[in-house]
Amino acid sequence: MTLDPRTPVIVGVGQYVDRDATLDTALEPVALMERAALAAAADAGLAGPPQADSVRVVNVIGWRYRNAPRFLAERLGISDAELLYTTSGGNTPQSLVSRTSLDILSGGLDVALLAGGEAFRTYLAAKREGARLDWAKAPDDDQPLSFGKDTPMNHPDELDRGIGAPVQVYPMFETALRADMGNTPAEHQARLGRLWSDLSHVAADNPYAWIREAMTPAEINDVSPSNRMIGLPYPKLMNSNNNVDMAAAIIMCSVEAARRMGIAEDRWVFPVAGSDCHEHAYVSNRESFARTPAIELGGRRVLELAGLTIDDVSIIDLYSCFPSAVQLGARSLGIDPLERQWSRTGGLTFAGGPWNNYVSHSIATVVADLRARPDEYALVWGNGGFATKHAFGVYATKPRDGGFVHDEPQAEIDAMPRRELAPPADAAGRAPVEAYTVMYDRDGAPERALASCLLTDGRRAWATSDDRDVAAAMTTGEWVGTEVSLTDSGVLVPT
């Protein structure tokens, strides 16, 4: 095949994990990115950092740089480059690869450095100790180009009810999935233990994983002071672990530039296809808590663009912040996570959940996989919000005929059914529970019950209770399908 010189290709990837640093020796996020970028350059066979036309950085949560790309470029000696900074979301690294592929293909870009990193463990340690971090910060008027959509995540009524955190919402997806699968709570908990045990074994073999300890299902599920319950049915080991210091970098360029830089072709991995889309933005308006139609459509579309089916893909990394995210993604893509390989890193619990940047580590990992298995295909799925924003990428060591392709099937998703949210006064009365969770305090006691209920007119209603006796009662048995009473202020009362 004669390659179009504008074909985008990944030529170098690097990861850096700083597990043992103290406050005196810890690196700030852009310093972690610098280490990862130098590793990516070495991986490409370059003598030093690439003279990139664009430095593109995934949004940092743990420090407000304002212009993180500038500080990274300065550390690497890259001058006169375009500086681009993403919006938030775990989907953004994959979206950034797709955007960069399109920019290279169109001729607007030759060489790009993509990077992201977090030093959140150090940030929290400094906060606990009252220490001042002397990290870089740009003035307010020093702003890079922005990439990404700031899709709103929380309906005002959700926020009014104190429902606005992933640790609250993903467990509700889980109880809805459990009921939809027809599992008892005990059966489903055993399933979750097995899923996350499998994930820990992947991390144990990943040199860049934060926690490299293979765990049994019982160790995952057993509640203890070090594995306290967070939001039913998730103990701590089923939650994303953001308390990490780690970074990843990806060097992308045109085939023409790769040849000009003398990068060996056995380092080349091609982005074949990409897609981006999002569910109905507010959880309150989703048709079901047990389905993710945007993953179904976006995943199907990226595979169609690549000329593949899911059975043609042997290297898969699904976004794995919580077990419900994995299961929603897997069932939408046609994957049985108990039977097929679905993570190459160890997920956000064990490999590490550096906020927006986990998928950069996914991509770096599957690039290495593909070099070792050059006749295979890889699929990466990135997720932002509450299983809200989705980005998909297919990768291979051989380019697609016709080059990289991308689609955003958002109009089709926007036309899909949605539910209206009933205000508390309209919802007063009896209604069945659709999904629920119980939040626990730091001492391990049930503290607050959260539930979504479906009204006879099809609308959704939120119900909450701060009565600890109610919260405790909802930790036993199955409450999905159980009829409860809602007061005109939205308080849940068992019947």
Side-chain angles (χ1 to χ4, degrees):
M1 180 194 304
T2 301
L3 281 179
D4 182 335
R6 299 308 315 165
T7 301
V9 63
I10 294 172
V11 295
V13 293
Q15 302 183 65
Y16 188 81
V17 179
D18 195 12
R19 295 186 187 86
D20 303 318
T22 66
L23 275 180
D24 291 333
T25 61
L27 301 174
E28 64 176 286
V30 290
L32 294 170
M33 293 181 220
E34 177 190 16
R35 301 287 181 92
L38 292 173
D43 179 64
L46 299 175
Q51 286 306 303
D53 304 314
S54 181
V55 176
R56 302 180 164 197
V57 173
V58 175
N59 188 277
V60 179
I61 295 292
W63 188 253
R64 189 167 177 246
Y65 280 108
R66 298 188 182 94
N67 196 340
R70 181 180 304 286
F71 295 120
L72 178 58
E74 289 173 354
R75 282 178 169 271
L76 293 168
I78 299 172
S79 58
D80 300 322
E82 173 196 69
L83 304 173
L84 185 147
Y85 199 35
T86 76
T87 54
S88 287
N91 57 302
T92 52
Q94 175 55 54
S95 296
L96 191 58
V97 168
S98 291
R99 162 68 182 269
T100 303
S101 297
L102 292 171
D103 288 346
I104 292 170
L105 192 62
S106 70
L109 184 63
D110 272 332
V111 182
L113 172 65
L114 284 57
E118 291 284 353
F120 205 72
R121 180 190 62 130
T122 297
Y123 172 78
L124 291 180
K127 194 172 182 180
R128 283 194 304 270
E129 296 182 23
R132 182 178 181 274
L133 293 170
D134 189 23
W135 291 352
K137 188 170 285 190
D140 287 338
D141 60 355
D142 184 5
Q143 298 288 341
L145 297 173
S146 179
F147 168 69
K149 298 175 182 176
D150 275 320
T151 305
M153 296 292 159
N154 295 107
H155 192 288
D157 286 0
E158 295 166 15
L159 295 176
D160 287 346
R161 307 304 302 278
I163 302 169
V167 293
Q168 298 169 313
V169 177
Y170 281 96
M172 285 194 271
F173 292 156
E174 192 66 65
T175 54
L177 279 165
R178 182 177 72 200
D180 190 67
M181 292 177 183
N183 294 338
T184 68
E187 290 169 341
H188 200 73
Q189 204 67 24
R191 171 188 172 87
L192 301 186
R194 181 179 165 190
L195 278 175
W196 246 233
S197 173
D198 291 348
L199 199 59
S200 74
H201 281 76
V202 173
D205 290 332
N206 175 6
Y208 300 106
W210 190 261
I211 299 172
R212 299 190 64 196
E213 179 185 353
M215 299 183 184
T216 66
E219 288 172 319
I220 301 292
N221 268 324
D222 288 349
V223 176
S224 67
S226 62
N227 191 32
R228 64 186 179 87
M229 188 65 77
I230 305 291
L232 191 79
Y234 294 157
K236 186 177 180 180
L237 283 171
M238 290 184 189
N239 288 255
S240 177
N241 174 21
N242 303 315
N243 196 17
V244 298
D245 288 12
M246 56 198 304
I250 302 165
I251 299 172
M252 296 183 64
C253 62
S254 64
V255 161
E256 181 180 42
R259 288 175 173 152
R260 184 176 68 244
M261 291 187 288
I263 298 173
E265 292 192 20
D266 64 3
R267 313 312 291 159
W268 297 7
V269 171
F270 295 89
V272 174
S275 66
D276 287 87
C277 54
H278 62 80
E279 309 288 347
H280 298 324
Y282 300 135
V283 173
S284 292
N285 299 131
R286 308 269 175 92
E287 176 72 6
S288 169
F289 281 11
R291 279 195 60 217
T292 41
I295 300 179
E296 294 175 23
L297 181 56
R300 184 169 67 247
R301 189 61 52 83
V302 78
L303 290 167
E304 289 171 350
L305 291 172
L308 305 171
T309 70
I310 193 62
D311 292 332
D312 297 319
V313 180
S314 55
I315 300 169
I316 300 170
D317 196 83
L318 301 183
Y319 200 84
S320 47
C321 50
F322 298 88
S324 59
V326 168
Q327 293 169 101
L328 286 166
R331 65 170 12 194
S332 295
L333 293 166
I335 296 167
D336 182 345
L338 294 180
E339 298 297 332
R340 287 192 63 179
Q341 177 271 314
W342 56 271
S343 174
R344 290 299 304 129
T345 64
L348 283 80
T349 297
F350 304 106
W355 294 102
N356 298 316
N357 198 51
Y358 164 78
V359 172
S360 294
H361 293 270
S362 300
I363 296 166
T365 301
V366 304
V367 164
D369 288 341
L370 285 166
R371 288 169 176 165
R373 297 150 61 180
D375 294 326
E376 301 183 31
Y377 292 93
L379 172 70
V380 170
W381 163 51
N383 160 55
F386 307 109
T388 308
K389 299 186 288 185
H390 309 297
F392 304 89
V394 173
Y395 298 86
T397 58
K398 301 177 184 64
R400 171 187 171 276
D401 287 343
F404 176 81
V405 281
H406 180 266
D407 192 21
E408 294 187 35
Q410 195 56 46
E412 294 173 63
I413 297 162
D414 291 343
M416 291 179 178
R418 66 177 66 217
R419 292 187 186 274
E420 296 300 320
L421 181 65
D426 286 4
R430 296 164 71 95
V433 172
E434 171 198 21
Y436 72 102
T437 187
V438 175
M439 304 307 298
Y440 286 67
D441 64 23
R442 297 194 67 84
D443 295 324
E447 182 177 35
R448 189 167 190 248
L450 311 174
S452 168
C453 299
L454 294 181
L455 307 183
T456 55
D457 62 8
R459 288 185 295 173
R460 179 173 283 117
W462 292 109
T464 62
S465 177
D466 294 317
D467 185 321
R468 285 179 174 256
D469 290 336
V470 172
M474 292 184 69
T475 64
T476 60
E478 177 60 87
W479 284 73
V480 173
T482 299
E483 198 169 72
V484 296
S485 291
L486 283 66
T487 70
D488 59 7
S489 59
V491 174
L492 183 153
V493 181
T495 56

